Amino acid sequence: MLSLRDQDFLSEIRATPPSELAPDFFSRLTTTLVDRAGSPDELTRLTAIHWLRSFVELAPRRIHGHVPAILGVVLYNISSHNPDIQRECQEANAALLRLEVRVSRPGARRL
């Protein structure tokens, strides 16, 4: 599925304390990965979705602004004919469901 180089890079990210990563690190990469998750190439889509799921699990607070875009590509690709893409999307969807996302409207009262 993922090349050894990709796996090594993800391992490095997992091992790096969040304080050592640039504040916009996940944001910039997430934007690129969301774009690549729409690629016609299945391996590119699979890799992008795998990385997006990893980012959701590794740095949920840093990708909150990207949740709608990530959810969009996950839901779009979950119906892929490729079972590996389907499985990765199901796992990404489960990771997204575990996020604590608060949605509020301006001026809305809290109960």
Side-chain angles (χ1 to χ4, degrees), residues 13-31:
I13 293 171
R14 285 185 179 110
T16 303
S19 60
E20 292 182 22
L21 297 171
D24 64 341
F25 175 81
F26 286 103
S27 181
R28 287 183 296 128
L29 274 177
T30 300
T31 299

Side-chain angles (χ1 to χ4, degrees), residues 34-56:
V34 164
D35 183 51
R36 300 311 302 153
S39 170
D41 179 68
E42 289 184 348
L43 182 58
T44 300
R45 284 190 322 200
L46 180 62
T47 302
I49 294 164
H50 178 81
W51 280 52
L52 288 168
R53 178 178 59 86
S54 296
F55 286 7
V56 168

Side-chain angles (χ1 to χ4, degrees), residues 46-85:
L46 180 62
T47 302
I49 294 164
H50 178 81
W51 280 52
L52 288 168
R53 178 178 59 86
S54 296
F55 286 7
V56 168
E57 295 169 346
L58 289 170
R61 290 188 177 131
R62 292 191 179 191
I63 54 94
H64 263 189
H66 297 278
V67 167
I70 295 169
L71 182 59
V73 298
V74 166
L75 293 178
Y76 175 80
N77 282 292
I78 206 164
S79 63
S80 171
H81 69 277
N82 182 319
D84 292 329
I85 292 175

